[in-house]
């Protein structure tokens, strides 16, 4: 492996930029994600940076089940992210559809629309669990 590739891998591992998307949840998990991005947790010290554009994001933090209305948009966002990219399903709804399972417009968890690298259950998911998940994901980049 060239030295440039190793530097790129090291930089990516130490600085994962995350994009948050709610594909149809109740907003409970989203409030927890917003909480983890506040100075209380100061995740930038860990290299985690909130990014607004999928074109600059490494990780998609996705909450909620996949609804019929959001499915195409979720796939479009995923396709706009540059490789390598990872998806974390946040909350019970993101993992499996959760309390919305069986509803007429619900496809299920995030993996019903796009590939998922990590599942973090909880209703809602705690900010500490999401931070631990992102750091665990960064360990696997090697
Ligand atoms: S897991 Fe719970 S808190 Fe999160 S979106 Fe689903 S119902 Fe809401």
């Amino acid at each position: 492996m060239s030295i440039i590739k190793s530097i790129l891998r090291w930089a990516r591992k130490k600085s994962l930029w995350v994009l948050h998307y709610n594909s149809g949840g109740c907003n409970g998990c989203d409030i927890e994600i917003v909480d983890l991005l506040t100075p209380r947790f100061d995740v930038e010290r860990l290299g985690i940076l909130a990014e607004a554009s999928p074109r600059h994001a490494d990780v998609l933090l996705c909450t909620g089940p996949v609804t019929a209305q959001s499915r195409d948009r979720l796939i479009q966002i995923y396709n706009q992210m540059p490789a390598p990219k990872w998806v974390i399903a946040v909350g019970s709804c993101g993992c499996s559809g959760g309390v919305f399972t069986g509803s007429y417009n619900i496809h299920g968890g995030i993996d019903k629309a796009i590939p998922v690298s990590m599942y973090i259950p909880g209703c809602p998911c705690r900010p500490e669990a999401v931070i631990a998940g992102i750091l665990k994901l960064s360990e696997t980049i090697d």
Side-chain angles (χ1 to χ4, degrees), residues 30-49:
D30 307 288
I31 290 169
E32 301 296 333
I33 288 181
V34 169
D35 186 23
L36 85 83
L37 297 173
T38 61
R40 180 181 175 209
F41 289 98
D42 189 20
V43 289
E44 287 191 22
R45 75 194 146 93
L46 304 170
I48 302 168
L49 185 72

Side-chain angles (χ1 to χ4, degrees), residues 9-63:
R9 183 168 293 182
W10 174 83
R12 186 171 290 124
K13 183 176 171 166
K14 296 289 179 189
S15 174
L16 285 175
W17 290 17
V18 299
L19 171 70
H20 168 218
Y21 180 70
N22 177 355
S23 64
C26 77
N27 286 343
C29 289
D30 307 288
I31 290 169
E32 301 296 333
I33 288 181
V34 169
D35 186 23
L36 85 83
L37 297 173
T38 61
R40 180 181 175 209
F41 289 98
D42 189 20
V43 289
E44 287 191 22
R45 75 194 146 93
L46 304 170
I48 302 168
L49 185 72
E51 178 51 55
S53 166
R55 298 185 195 284
H56 299 156
D58 304 301
V59 179
L60 180 60
L61 287 178
C62 201
T63 61

Side-chain angles (χ1 to χ4, degrees), residues 25-29 64 91-93 99-100 122-124:
C26 77
N27 286 343
C29 289
S92 302
C93 294
V99 294
F100 299 102
C123 182

Side-chain angles (χ1 to χ4, degrees), residues 35-132:
D35 186 23
L36 85 83
L37 297 173
T38 61
R40 180 181 175 209
F41 289 98
D42 189 20
V43 289
E44 287 191 22
R45 75 194 146 93
L46 304 170
I48 302 168
L49 185 72
E51 178 51 55
S53 166
R55 298 185 195 284
H56 299 156
D58 304 301
V59 179
L60 180 60
L61 287 178
C62 201
T63 61
V66 178
T67 64
Q69 190 179 25
S70 70
R71 184 177 176 276
D72 290 349
R73 191 163 297 129
L74 176 61
I75 293 170
Q76 188 180 16
I77 288 171
Y78 179 77
N79 288 338
Q80 285 175 339
M81 292 171 66
K85 55 191 168 185
W86 299 271
V87 176
I88 300 180
V90 177
S92 302
C93 294
C95 294
S96 66
V99 294
F100 299 102
T101 303
S103 298
Y104 69 97
N105 62 339
I106 298 295
H107 289 282
I110 303 301
D111 58 8
K112 294 288 187 255
I114 55 176
V116 171
S117 313
M118 177 177 280
Y119 299 84
I120 306 178
C123 182
C125 192
R126 298 287 303 142
E128 295 90 340
V130 179
I131 294 170

